[in-house]
Amino acid sequence: MLWLRDRTLDLSRPRIMGILNLTPDSFSDGGLYLDPERALERAKTLVAEGADLLDLGAESTRPGAEPVSVEEEKKRLLPALEAILELGVPVSVDTRKPEVAEEALKLGAHLINDVTGLRDERMVALCARYGVAAVVMHMPVPDPQAMMAHARYGDVVAEVKAFLKAQAERALKAGVPQVVLDPGFGFGKLLEHNLALLKRLEEIVALGHPVLVGLSRKRSIGELTGVEEPAKRVIGSVAAHLFAAMKGARILRVHDVAAHREALAVWNALWE
């Protein structure tokens, strides 16, 4: 069960988190939903296609992405968030800035998705104060511009697991009501690292917290399939996410909701 402030989400089966990037420079759909009205229409489409919750982000964290100011991130995020919350679907906010997270939580956001893994004590305190769950993601350094320079591991699974375990324990001890773990596929990781994490995902699931997986349209999918254009990496993304579900992932963060909903309908029927 995932606690989302005023509601819960049953995680007895895998759930779909629809991605909505409010950015000009995201690797796959940058610039498409900067306008709040277009963002709202996209949110309606994702919900109609079967998204169980939405993940809104207003700063690209792709490798080498330029950071944006707090004020710029708020300008992109808050109008769209306010409108989308009216749809009644749970909304996660993808931000590494406590100042942005607090404004989102004041509006009613249900979950904080922090790609830096709750390294900032202010973010931990904020989630505890508002009583919201947080996604703890692994990135070797808390800087998207520098993360690929640190894609060096002895045992990537053991190192990612140790980081997530430590950050989860720290957050829960500080009063965060629940954590979701994200291995951070592609964040400071090469193809070999992503494959190892996916093949041994059950070791992270064994930590006892819900696990979120986000491989949608990523470079690793393109490397495996030979599909260069991110928007066309749908089939490979679905395959990777179904494997993750088999390994115990319970939240799949995806661009292509309808394709994943159909695949999971079959997967759930066979698994049951």
Side-chain angles (χ1 to χ4, degrees):
M1 196 73 71
L2 177 61
W3 299 95
L4 297 167
R5 297 184 80 165
D6 59 344
R7 67 193 77 185
T8 59
L9 183 63
D10 179 10
L11 296 182
S12 61
R13 59 181 176 86
R15 295 292 183 169
I16 298 173
M17 172 185 274
I19 298 170
L20 184 47
N21 290 317
L22 313 172
T23 59
D25 56 345
S26 290
F27 79 95
S28 178
D29 55 2
L32 294 180
Y33 309 114
L34 272 172
D35 179 78
E37 290 186 8
R38 293 190 68 181
L40 177 59
E41 288 307 308
R42 178 58 178 165
K44 290 179 180 177
T45 297
L46 293 172
V47 173
E49 289 179 345
D52 297 292
L53 67 166
L54 302 176
D55 190 46
L56 275 59
E59 179 186 42
S60 175
T61 50
R62 61 176 173 77
E66 292 292 331
V68 300
S69 68
V70 168
E71 290 309 312
E72 177 61 25
E73 191 173 343
K74 287 181 184 179
K75 180 181 176 182
R76 296 175 184 175
L77 173 70
L78 298 180
L81 173 63
E82 187 169 15
I84 290 167
L85 283 168
E86 293 296 320
L87 299 178
V89 66
V91 178
S92 163
V93 170
D94 181 351
T95 185
R96 55 192 175 128
K97 299 183 180 73
E99 301 92 339
V100 175
E102 182 159 25
E103 293 301 316
L105 290 170
K106 285 179 181 177
L107 286 177
H110 301 89
L111 180 70
I112 295 299
N113 184 4
D114 182 5
V115 298
T116 64
L118 295 184
R119 284 179 168 96
D120 191 325
E121 293 183 3
R122 295 175 300 161
M123 190 71 92
V124 175
L126 186 64
C127 292
R129 177 153 51 90
Y130 277 86
V132 296
V135 179
V136 182
M137 196 195 81
H138 175 273
M139 189 193 306
V141 292
D143 180 3
Q145 287 187 299
M147 63 184 175
M148 297 312 296
H150 294 266
R152 300 184 298 271
Y153 305 91
D155 181 336
V156 64
V157 179
E159 291 174 45
V160 169
K161 180 180 177 181
F163 173 85
L164 293 176
K165 182 175 185 292
Q167 293 302 98
E169 290 176 350
R170 174 172 163 263
L172 293 171
K173 185 177 180 180
V176 177
Q178 187 179 17
V179 294
V180 176
L181 306 182
D182 181 351
F185 290 98
F187 286 81
K189 300 172 187 74
L190 305 176
L191 176 60
E192 62 192 84
H193 304 133
N194 293 323
L195 289 176
L197 284 164
L198 196 52
K199 290 177 181 178
R200 295 167 55 191
L201 190 66
E202 69 276 6
E203 296 180 36
I204 293 172
V205 172
L207 290 173
H209 306 289
V211 171
L212 180 154
V213 166
L215 279 152
S216 184
R217 301 185 181 179
K218 288 190 173 177
R219 179 179 297 177
S220 291
I221 302 299
E223 290 174 327
L224 291 170
T225 62
V227 178
E228 294 186 7
E229 187 178 335
K232 293 183 178 179
R233 296 171 183 164
V234 181
I235 297 172
S237 299
V238 170
H241 286 140
L242 288 181
F243 187 85
M246 182 184 73
K247 289 285 187 172
R250 280 300 173 263
I251 303 174
L252 308 178
R253 185 178 180 274
V254 312
H255 296 87
D256 304 288
V257 171
H260 282 82
R261 178 187 55 78
E262 291 179 15
L264 282 173
V266 176
W267 186 91
N268 285 323
L270 294 171
W271 196 255
E272 289 170 1

